[in-house]
Amino acid sequence: MQLLKDRILSEGVAVNEDILRVDGFINHQVDPELMTKIGETIAEHFKDRQVTKVVTIESSGISPALFTAKELGVPMIILKKQPSKVLNDELYHTMITSYTKGTNYELTLSSRFVNENDHVLIVDDFLANGETATGAIRLLRMAHATVAGVGILIEKSFQPGRDKLERAGIEVFSLVRIGALGRDNIEFI
Ligand code: G4P
């Protein structure tokens, strides 16, 4: 998506060889015009897949997921992060390890919102190691839902997320794929 590439080139900052800062337009200050276009583009790609729900992970995935869900005319569901296991019969939960943030957390989904009739599109801002997306898929499978695919704004293709998902038979649609990051250097694929 050229619009997102241009924005990354003009406002994104490669903090080091692993991390791209996009807090001016995606995950701290959010540009609604850009998010509208992002939602339209992801929805257009998945429009014929009979998606019944869009699922994202709090917090940065919420904006693009909401705009995508609006375009598809379906609800958006936020997977919640819990600091520790919350004992609640209604919740499916799974442990996620974030290599980027160096944290473990419990991700949860209420059984009230997804069931065996759902075909779910997962939307998130970054794809790095694929731990978040594979955790989201585990939760959806616990709810007996099927997965239509994963829509990503920025894929860091030098990290193993895409491979991990594709090996599990999941389609990954990324608006932008980054092959390498370095000081003053952002290489797109
Ligand atoms: P994964 O999502 O592919 O499994 O990778 P990993 O666990 O390593 O990192 C996930 C978290 O790190 C996500 O935040 C993601 O947005 C963030 N992240 C990964 N790479 C980058 C990057 O290059 N730049 C920025 N700005 N963030 C990155 P999260 O845990 O979902 O939290 P939140 O920020 O959405 O609240």
Side-chain angles (χ1 to χ4, degrees):
M1 185 187 185
Q2 195 55 45
L3 196 65
L4 183 54
K5 274 188 192 167
D6 291 345
R7 210 51 191 274
I8 290 169
L9 286 175
S10 61
E11 290 179 46
V13 177
V15 177
N16 53 39
E17 289 177 357
D18 286 330
I19 303 290
L20 177 67
R21 209 170 74 207
V22 289
D23 56 358
F25 54 107
I26 288 182
N27 59 16
H28 196 151
Q29 174 170 265
V30 180
D31 180 342
E33 287 303 324
L34 177 66
M35 283 300 163
T36 303
K37 298 273 176 359
I38 283 171
E40 287 169 358
T41 308
I42 297 176
E44 173 64 25
H45 183 84
F46 287 100
K47 69 177 190 296
D48 297 324
R49 310 286 181 85
Q50 282 80 45
V51 170
T52 62
K53 306 246 162 88
V54 173
V55 160
T56 192
I57 302 94
E58 65 175 352
S59 59
S60 319
I62 295 173
S63 322
L66 186 58
F67 282 87
T68 305
K70 184 170 186 295
E71 278 302 307
L72 289 171
V74 300
M76 185 267 286
I77 294 163
I78 304 162
L79 302 181
K80 302 276 193 174
K81 292 173 182 167
Q82 309 284 352
S84 62
K85 200 174 274 184
V86 174
L87 292 176
N88 181 338
D89 286 349
E90 225 178 51
L91 290 181
Y92 300 113
H93 45 83
T94 190
M95 186 62 82
I96 309 280
T97 299
S98 170
Y99 296 106
T100 303
K101 299 199 167 172
T103 52
N104 288 323
Y105 59 89
E106 197 84 23
L107 197 63
T108 62
L109 164 67
S110 169
S111 58
R112 285 185 297 139
F113 301 128
V114 178
N115 62 39
E116 68 275 13
N117 299 316
D118 283 313
H119 192 47
V120 176
L121 170 63
I122 297 168
V123 172
D124 207 357
D125 57 344
F126 277 95
L127 178 62
N129 294 290
E131 290 299 310
T132 315
T134 49
I137 292 165
R138 280 198 300 281
L139 286 176
L140 293 169
R141 291 195 168 141
M142 286 177 204
H144 306 289
T146 51
V147 177
V150 175
I152 294 290
L153 275 53
I154 303 172
E155 172 189 322
K156 294 188 293 180
S157 306
F158 53 90
Q159 293 183 304
R162 171 180 282 271
D163 272 4
K164 215 179 272 181
L165 292 170
E166 286 184 342
R167 269 191 275 114
I170 304 291
E171 184 198 346
V172 179
F173 174 65
S174 302
L175 298 181
V176 163
R177 300 182 68 189
I178 293 180
L181 277 179
R183 255 182 113 76
D184 303 322
N185 177 39
I186 300 170
E187 269 174 39
F188 296 109
I189 292 182

